[in-house]
Amino acid sequence: MWFFARDPVRDFPFELSPELPEGGPPGPWVLHRGRKKATGSPVSIFVYDVKPGVEEQTQVAKAAFKRLKTLRHPNILAYIDGLETDRCLHIVTEAVTPLGAYLKARAEAGDLRELELSWGLHQIVKALSFLVNDCSLIHNNVCMAAVFVDRAGEWKLGGLDYMYSAQGNGGGPPRKGIPELEQYDPPELADGSGRAVREKWSADMWRLGCLIWEVFNGPLPRAAALRNPGKIPKSLVPHYCELVGANPKVRPNPARFLQNCRAPGGFMNNRFVETNLFLEEIQIKEPAEKQKFFQELSKSLDSFPEDFCRHKVLPQLLTAFEFGSAGAVVLTPLFKVGKFLGAVEYQRKIIPVVVKMFSSTDRAMRIRLLQQMEQFIQYLDEPTVNTQIFPHVVHGFLDTNPAIREQTVKSMLLLAPKLNETNLNVELMKHFARLQAKDEQGPIRCNTTVCLGKIGSYLSAGTRHRVLTSAFSRATKDPFAPSRVAGVLGFAATHNLYSMNDCAHKILPVLCSLTVDPERAVRDQAFKAIRSFLSKLESVSEDPTQLAEAEKDVHAASSPGMGGAAASWAGWAVTGVSSLTSKLIRAHPTAAPAETNVPQRPVPEGLPAPAPTPVPATPTTSGHWETQEESKDAEEDSTAADRWDDEDWGSLETSNPGHKSQESDWSSWEAEDAWEQGWQEPSPPEPPPEGTRLASEYNWGGPEPSDKGDPFAALSVCREAGAQPRRDSWGDDNWEGLEAESRQAKAELARKKREERKREMEAKRTEKKTAKGPMKLGTRKLD
């Protein structure tokens, strides 16, 4: 029976990359890229081929194999696996790059920063401190070729070939036999007498000085070049000079060198080093310390290296959210780091965390997610949005906190293109209808209208026909002036979604009623919209063949591309009103806010500022002009019209906490139960009273037949039978008409009744005093 020996190299769970070797430390080792066969994860493989006649080098390589396998420290090259045969030695470590190649690539890309160098040198000195002070080992090979960099930018100390014990129990230092390494030896080693008094760390600290020189100035040509610091930073020069001093006795211990460099103003005293040190000890930090750290971390990430953020900060953030109590504070740095990830990596690492966060009941977490949704929405697919995100987001519409309701509304601008038919046209419209009709915060109602105008193109044709006209018409009756402006702009932004009949019969009558709105901004936008719709109707009237083109989008299916047409309209309402909402929330944290004078919204550029008039509790109709308080006199009424053109109306974002706001009283103008029915079509106009003749029945163009008589005769008789008629009002620019006369008459009658009542009360008091007579002390008897 034949037995075949198995090849240990072939059975090794790691394989070398076909790429050319990257080199390695001076000596017999060659560094190759590799990967794990089972998972494909990248590794680095140091390979030494055993050759005859070099037994001394083979013993050095085997010693390095053993040292690396037994030493474990975060700043020493991490050993993963190894293979030792008669023909070769394989050492598998974490994936690393030689420091020389790393610095050259970073310098060519222009991304090399002094922060990286300070932390990298900190790590190497810390590794030397561990070897000397904790293990009593002398590295004996510190140089550029013995340092490697992992994917996070962390510097690792390798090259353990010539390490020996500081206690001398393992013999003296091994002979190197490589001229390239001998130039790093300190000058005292050249003294064969050995009379130089030195510490056990003196030689390694000299070599550390050589490494510092090479990091900032390139490869060391000869030992004499150490006298010129070159590009070494000024804050590091004094400490560098201690390392390369001729007297080995004064060279500092690695631990003291770190302490000196970490002093105020030192080279290693910066935010990047502090962040790394905190991350190394984050597991033992108090929750309050972690909260403060994550809150301040976001400010510093822009100045940190990209690889460090991706491979060191991000895992810590994910761990802090998954197993710690960091909460919402990790969101801002998490999304900032996410910008450095590719689409696949983002989907794999961050999206699962985001989906889990949306199910949280923590309000701070929810509002942070909504505020920063723009940073991750492009990575969410439609099934995830509809099944895992939207069901949790809609709870924000019912939240008692106005800030969450507002952010939920604004988030729909990003979610709408990904929502399915039911969520968009049924569920979302139900919530929008309730918010627009019943929310007590004016800015939230305004933002709801703005959002609806921007997502109108995503709605189905039936939903657009049923919702848009009714919703924008309702907004034009809102007591909050910016909501009325948003309603007008909503009509303008979605003009292509209405039929010509709807424009003439439903939209223009609504817009015309706003031409006498008390707010200048509302009137200006109404006139612009009216001119736009009239121009459209006129063009179709002159050329009926344009009707099909004008109504091509009315019955079209929802089109995401159409959303861009309304991308800029009323954008000021979404971005600016949030500051007003924040002020309302800060002033009134409860669900039913204290009543205030509603702050006015800044108007678009080019429009005059609106007057800071109190918002009425009822819709702005002709009844707004009635006298409602006894203290209003004729002088106030006479100056009311002058306020329309007053340009100096003061600050628009100030609130008077002492004045009463009546925004929440919607019963006077909200006729529909929006929560149950959503937006409904406006009710058809009531039939005219019996006997009323339509304008079309009159003969406006020719002579009137004698049997019909004068159509205005009845009106003249009625006016003669009543009070004395006014002068012809058609030429007086009196926009209030007969209804205004009636209101003025009622107001005058009410004033007269109050005066009569006052006189009666005065008369009664006088009569009572007369009946009792004058009261004199001691003269009046008790009954």
Side-chain angles (χ1 to χ4, degrees), residues 498-555:
Y498 308 111
S499 65
M500 294 299 102
N501 282 333
D502 286 346
C503 293
H505 297 156
K506 298 180 181 179
I507 298 176
L508 280 176
V510 174
L511 296 176
C512 289
S513 66
L514 297 177
T515 56
V516 291
D517 192 276
E519 296 292 341
R520 177 68 176 270
V522 180
R523 301 195 302 274
D524 288 346
Q525 294 296 341
F527 281 120
K528 291 180 182 179
I530 289 171
R531 285 192 290 267
S532 175
F533 279 103
L534 284 178
S535 175
K536 187 175 181 179
L537 290 169
E538 186 177 6
S539 63
V540 173
S541 174
E542 293 177 353
D543 185 4
T545 59
Q546 296 183 9
L547 179 62
E549 177 66 19
E551 295 184 349
K552 66 178 182 179
D553 296 329
V554 176
H555 301 290

Side-chain angles (χ1 to χ4, degrees), residues 35 60 153 212 224 291 337 358 489 505 509 516 745:
R35 68 179 184 89
V60 169
I212 292 175
Q291 289 277 339
V337 174
F358 269 108
L489 295 176
H505 297 156
V516 291

Side-chain angles (χ1 to χ4, degrees), residues 695-713:
S696 58
E697 299 179 5
Y698 297 118
N699 184 4
W700 297 95
E704 183 72 22
S706 59
D707 57 344
K708 289 187 178 181
D710 184 5
F712 298 101

Side-chain angles (χ1 to χ4, degrees), residues 216-537:
F216 292 99
N217 298 294
L220 181 66
R222 57 189 179 278
L226 297 173
R227 298 175 183 175
N228 181 16
K231 299 179 182 179
I232 298 177
K234 293 182 179 180
S235 58
L236 185 58
V237 168
H239 310 296
Y240 161 78
C241 292
E242 291 182 350
L243 299 178
V244 295
N247 186 358
K249 189 69 176 177
V250 299
R251 295 173 195 156
N253 184 289
R256 187 165 70 85
F257 178 81
L258 279 181
Q259 185 178 359
N260 294 339
C261 291
R262 291 278 296 140
F267 178 68
M268 298 180 184
N269 184 19
N270 54 62
R271 178 63 180 166
F272 188 55
V273 174
E274 292 172 359
T275 299
N276 279 280
L277 294 176
F278 189 94
L279 290 175
E280 289 182 352
E281 301 175 352
I282 194 171
Q283 302 301 331
I284 61 175
K285 297 293 185 180
E286 295 293 331
E289 294 179 291
K290 295 180 183 179
Q291 289 277 339
K292 183 180 179 181
F293 170 77
F294 287 123
Q295 287 174 351
E296 299 175 352
L297 177 61
S298 181
K299 305 175 185 177
S300 306
L301 288 177
D302 292 332
S303 61
F304 289 174
E306 179 180 329
D307 291 338
F308 168 78
C309 295
R310 291 176 56 193
H311 300 294
K312 189 167 184 181
V313 175
L314 180 58
Q316 292 291 351
L317 291 173
L318 297 178
T319 302
F321 171 74
E322 190 73 21
F323 304 106
S325 56
V329 295
V330 304
L331 287 179
T332 301
L334 179 65
F335 292 135
K336 184 168 284 190
V337 174
K339 296 178 181 178
F340 301 129
L341 305 181
V344 176
E345 193 175 6
Y346 199 104
Q347 285 278 354
R348 181 169 54 87
K349 291 184 176 180
I350 294 185
I351 291 302
V353 176
V354 170
V355 172
K356 186 176 181 180
M357 286 178 177
F358 269 108
S359 62
S360 172
T361 57
D362 181 10
R363 278 179 167 173
M365 178 85 70
R366 289 163 57 192
I367 198 167
R368 291 277 184 89
L369 283 170
L370 295 174
Q371 289 172 340
Q372 303 185 52
M373 185 178 291
E374 189 174 2
Q375 301 186 32
F376 58 85
I377 185 64
Q378 65 269 27
Y379 300 105
L380 295 174
D381 54 20
E382 294 186 8
T384 301
V385 170
N386 285 281
T387 60
Q388 302 183 57
I389 302 295
F390 185 75
H392 296 295
V393 172
V394 292
H395 293 311
F397 290 125
L398 307 175
D399 201 285
T400 56
N401 189 325
I404 293 182
R405 296 202 303 275
E406 182 195 28
Q407 290 298 334
T408 304
V409 170
K410 293 162 72 171
S411 69
M412 292 302 112
L413 293 174
L414 302 171
L415 290 178
K418 298 178 180 288
L419 294 180
N420 58 31
E421 179 79 13
T422 302
N423 286 338
L424 179 62
N425 294 283
V426 179
E427 187 71 15
L428 181 59
M429 292 301 102
K430 179 182 69 174
H431 289 291
F432 268 21
R434 187 189 58 79
L435 285 176
Q436 193 199 39
K438 298 183 178 180
D439 197 281
E440 68 272 10
Q441 299 290 344
I444 295 179
R445 301 193 302 272
C446 177
N447 274 346
T448 303
T449 303
V450 171
C451 184
L452 180 63
K454 289 193 171 187
I455 68 173
S457 59
Y458 300 116
L459 302 176
S460 64
T463 304
R464 292 198 301 262
H465 178 73
R466 177 173 53 87
V467 167
L468 294 184
T469 305
S470 179
F472 296 141
S473 299
R474 175 185 296 164
T476 60
K477 302 179 180 67
D478 196 307
F480 190 57
S483 292
R484 301 199 295 275
V485 174
V488 177
L489 295 176
F491 278 127
T494 56
H495 66 91
N496 59 314
L497 303 178
Y498 308 111
S499 65
M500 294 299 102
N501 282 333
D502 286 346
C503 293
H505 297 156
K506 298 180 181 179
I507 298 176
L508 280 176
V510 174
L511 296 176
C512 289
S513 66
L514 297 177
T515 56
V516 291
D517 192 276
E519 296 292 341
R520 177 68 176 270
V522 180
R523 301 195 302 274
D524 288 346
Q525 294 296 341
F527 281 120
K528 291 180 182 179
I530 289 171
R531 285 192 290 267
S532 175
F533 279 103
L534 284 178
S535 175
K536 187 175 181 179
L537 290 169

